[in-house]
Amino acid sequence: MDKIRLISDGDGLAVIGNPTDVKRFLISEGLLPLSKDLGFQRLGPLLRTAAGIAQAGSEISANSAYWLKLTKESAHLVKKFGLMESKTPDISYAMVGNPGSIKSWLQVAEGPGSLLTNPAILSGAAGIMAQLAMQHEMGEIKSYLAAIDKKVDDIIRAQKDTELGKVFGAGLDIESAMSVLEREGRVDDDTWSTVQARTHTITDALGWTLGRLDALAERLESTAKIGDLAKTVKEAGAEVEELLAVVARCFELQDALDVLRLQRVLNEYPDKLDGRRLLLKDDRQKRRELISRKIERLMARMDAAADTANSNVLLHLPAHRTVVGSINRAGIAVDGFHRPLGIEFGRRSLEVTRWWDAARDPAQLKNATAEVGRKGGMAAAAVAMGAVVVWAGRTALDGEEE
């Protein structure tokens, strides 16, 4: 019976076995186009240092492995074959066999001493899978940055903050190190010493950008006048696009640094791979939660601004339109930013209230009348009075139409 091994770390799924069988399995599940080579040969350091894995080493050399990002299309395999927890943290696995028909894969037991029962091999596979998940995200972020009408390096260089400007140079160093890893399959001392010093550049830039998002939220919160609010929301909407592009670039470079870190540990300290992998996974999740909180706070302030604008359409229609348009622009930017990071958002666009509809709304009339009472002025009074007349006339016409 042919055997296919499945390994999952919650983010991705590895499919391991005879090259022909692996491809047949992926084709039968409709997943071959979504898969990529796992690069099992990168487990060399583990094979040289871990004890008692000669058999597993021979299995690795005879097998191929493919990796898939866990999506709606691939996650069904985890449920279908009921992956079991292993002794390696956050890693589950299953063994499936093909009795002759690619339409009927059955789960079978893994014998003692084989690949899936070897902690060192599972640890190494988990480390490589974590790298592939990060590289997949990097590719998604690159596509996002290419799709938006912003050149992130130009944005970074244009900022007056000198620390933020260093991100451009850090990107050059980190991308060079990734090229070395791709060509040589390892991270040497010189390469690592160059990029290691760039860690604080990325974290400082990320901190500065998140601080700017907070500042925008505070400006919106402290602005009360509808005219000033429209101006502030418009400026904030434009800046959000640029700030999120910078955050995305920081996330991309942080992912690259983490890929290099894991490879460094795999090469030099394979026994520490699990600990480092879990630490980086935890840090990654915390970064996501932090940026999500900052964005949620900012968008909540924008929604409050929209409520203010929506209740003052009669006397401030242009301001209302500006606020709604700017908030929708920011919402589109946020959705675009979240997508490559796999963060659920799904914000609905706001709709502009027509002046005609506002003129028929008693609450709008009440607000307009109250503002006229506070400010006085013939023009404002005329608008409010006109709204009353229009509302009454339109109501009469509606009655005739009915």
Side-chain angles (χ1 to χ4, degrees):
M1 179 181 291
D2 298 326
K3 297 177 182 178
I4 297 294
R5 299 169 178 86
L6 305 178
I7 303 175
S8 175
D9 62 353
D11 291 322
L13 181 72
V15 181
I16 306 167
N18 176 278
T20 301
D21 295 333
V22 167
K23 287 191 175 182
R24 289 176 64 209
F25 177 80
L26 291 172
I27 290 171
S28 72
E29 300 293 337
L31 297 173
L32 184 61
L34 303 177
S35 65
K36 62 187 297 183
D37 185 16
L38 182 69
F40 240 20
Q41 66 276 8
R42 290 155 70 181
L43 292 180
L46 281 171
L47 299 180
R48 292 191 295 270
T49 59
I53 61 172
Q55 180 181 349
S58 65
E59 287 188 52
I60 288 174
S61 63
N63 289 322
S64 68
Y66 283 78
W67 176 87
L68 305 100
K69 174 71 176 175
L70 277 182
T71 62
K72 293 179 180 179
E73 291 77 18
S74 58
H76 77 276
L77 290 182
V78 176
K79 180 183 294 186
K80 179 178 180 179
F81 294 108
L83 273 63
M84 302 174 292
E85 294 295 324
S86 73
K87 294 181 180 180
T88 303
D90 286 353
I91 298 299
S92 57
Y93 68 92
M95 170 75 77
V96 296
N98 178 5
S101 170
I102 62 173
K103 296 182 179 179
S104 180
W105 296 91
L106 303 176
Q107 186 165 342
V108 297
E110 175 80 315
S114 296
L115 188 146
L116 292 187
T117 59
N118 191 292
I121 298 302
L122 282 178
S123 175
I128 295 174
M129 290 171 69
Q131 288 177 303
L132 289 172
M134 294 169 191
Q135 289 173 304
H136 176 84
E137 182 174 279
M138 288 168 61
E140 294 292 303
I141 293 174
K142 285 182 184 295
S143 297
Y144 155 71
L145 292 175
I148 63 176
D149 189 21
K150 301 285 180 184
K151 294 189 179 298
V152 67
D153 288 334
D154 290 342
I155 295 171
I156 290 171
R157 285 194 294 260
Q159 298 298 326
K160 295 179 180 180
D161 187 278
T162 56
E163 292 302 312
L164 186 63
K166 294 179 182 178
V167 174
F168 180 73
L172 296 177
D173 285 343
I174 293 170
E175 288 168 358
S176 175
M178 290 295 290
S179 296
V180 172
L181 173 59
E182 185 176 348
R183 289 196 306 268
E184 301 180 5
R186 66 188 308 274
V187 182
D188 58 38
D189 292 339
D190 289 340
T191 301
W192 180 243
S193 64
T194 299
V195 298
Q196 187 178 24
R198 292 297 199 173
T199 300
H200 292 301
T201 300
I202 305 305
T203 54
D204 288 348
L206 183 58
W208 179 89
T209 311
L210 296 181
R212 287 296 306 148
L213 290 173
D214 274 341
L216 290 178
E218 290 167 5
R219 280 177 56 197
L220 289 169
E221 193 169 9
S222 62
T223 305
K225 295 181 179 180
I226 184 66
D228 294 339
L229 190 62
K231 180 181 178 182
T232 301
V233 171
K234 184 176 181 179
E235 292 173 350
E239 190 171 356
V240 164
E241 291 181 300
E242 295 191 350
L243 291 175
L244 291 181
V246 175
V247 172
R249 178 61 168 162
C250 288
F251 271 44
E252 178 193 354
L253 294 177
Q254 188 66 60
D255 278 342
L257 281 171
D258 289 349
V259 168
L260 296 168
R261 283 192 182 94
L262 284 175
Q263 190 62 43
R264 180 73 172 171
V265 173
L266 180 59
N267 291 149
E268 304 294 334
Y269 316 101
D271 58 316
K272 298 181 179 180
L273 186 59
D274 272 338
R276 183 58 56 89
R277 170 179 62 85
L278 295 173
L279 177 63
L280 294 179
K281 183 176 182 179
D282 186 52
D283 287 345
R284 195 166 167 229
Q285 182 60 31
K286 288 178 179 178
R287 286 196 299 272
R288 276 169 168 68
E289 292 173 355
L290 177 61
I291 184 62
S292 292
R293 287 197 300 271
K294 301 294 184 183
I295 291 175
E296 285 173 6
R297 182 193 175 201
L298 176 59
M299 297 309 295
R301 295 314 311 159
M302 285 194 165
D303 286 338
D307 289 341
T308 300
N310 287 343
S311 63
N312 290 274
V313 174
L314 286 179
L315 299 183
H316 302 282
L317 181 60
H320 163 71
R321 288 174 174 169
T322 297
V323 168
V324 170
S326 298
I327 292 175
N328 285 339
R329 178 180 178 182
I332 292 171
V334 169
D335 271 337
F337 168 79
H338 278 147
R339 197 169 296 113
L341 301 179
I343 300 175
E344 294 293 333
F345 190 66
R347 181 182 176 84
R348 289 185 177 182
S349 294
L350 304 178
E351 294 185 1
V352 174
T353 301
R354 298 180 303 177
W355 191 90
W356 192 274
D357 292 332
R360 302 173 62 190
D361 185 349
Q364 292 278 352
L365 291 172
K366 181 179 179 180
N367 289 339
T369 303
E371 184 171 346
V372 170
R374 288 194 305 270
K375 296 182 178 180
M378 294 299 294
V383 171
M385 184 59 69
V388 173
V389 173
V390 169
W391 175 76
R394 183 59 183 173
T395 301
L397 288 174
D398 286 346
E400 291 177 4
E401 290 172 359
E402 293 174 357

